[in-house]
Amino acid sequence: MRLPHREEGLRWLEQARADMRGAEVLHANGIFHLVCFIAQQVAEKALKAYLYTQGETMVTGHSVAALAEWAKEYDPEFGNLGSMVSPLDAFYITARYPNGLPASTPSKVFGEKTASDALDLARTALSFVAGRIG
């Protein structure tokens, strides 16, 4: 059963918010590589939430830059958001898999500063989208 567009979008936004809380817990516990990945997921889910509320029925893809570009079709301000949060795309693979990095592992490479910056970008995306959805 397909939910009405707004309900589906709000469902995605709810999950983005829950993921944000999880990322904050991970950050407080020094698990920085997963913070980076979850931050990307927060932005991705928030952008998908917006697209669903606009009437899209099949929102696919994982790139926050590409999703923001898509959302720009409905609201040009998403172009600015995409420019800000596109660095999160770098974490989709590299923060999870050791073969995404040369001769190291995500748990060794991603530190507190990178994780804090990623969280800030996720908060930006989440706040922006929440403001647009209402």
Side-chain angles (χ1 to χ4, degrees), residues 39-45 47-48 51 60-73 75-92 121 125:
Q40 184 278 335
Q41 290 288 285
V42 168
E44 178 184 331
K45 290 171 186 169
L47 286 161
K48 287 180 176 183
L51 290 164
T60 59
H62 302 288
S63 167
V64 297
L67 291 166
E69 190 67 23
W70 187 355
K72 191 171 88 169
E73 295 175 18
D75 180 343
E77 288 299 312
F78 276 89
N80 295 329
L81 178 68
S83 296
M84 284 188 282
V85 301
S86 63
L88 291 171
D89 281 342
F91 302 129
Y92 183 69
L121 292 176

Side-chain angles (χ1 to χ4, degrees), residues 1-11 52-53 55-56:
M1 179 178 122
R2 188 168 293 276
L3 293 173
H5 299 298
R6 181 162 174 79
E7 283 183 50
E8 182 64 8
L10 290 174
R11 195 168 75 103
Y52 280 119
T53 64
E56 296 291 344

Side-chain angles (χ1 to χ4, degrees), residues 3-22 38 41-54 59 78 81 122-134:
L3 293 173
H5 299 298
R6 181 162 174 79
E7 283 183 50
E8 182 64 8
L10 290 174
R11 195 168 75 103
W12 280 80
L13 188 61
E14 178 184 350
Q15 188 60 50
R17 286 177 171 144
D19 287 358
M20 187 71 207
R21 289 189 304 274
I38 299 299
Q41 290 288 285
V42 168
E44 178 184 331
K45 290 171 186 169
L47 286 161
K48 287 180 176 183
Y50 177 78
L51 290 164
Y52 280 119
T53 64
Q54 299 309 299
V59 181
F78 276 89
L81 178 68
R123 283 187 194 99
T124 296
L126 191 55
S127 175
F128 184 89
V129 169
R132 292 302 195 270
I133 290 176

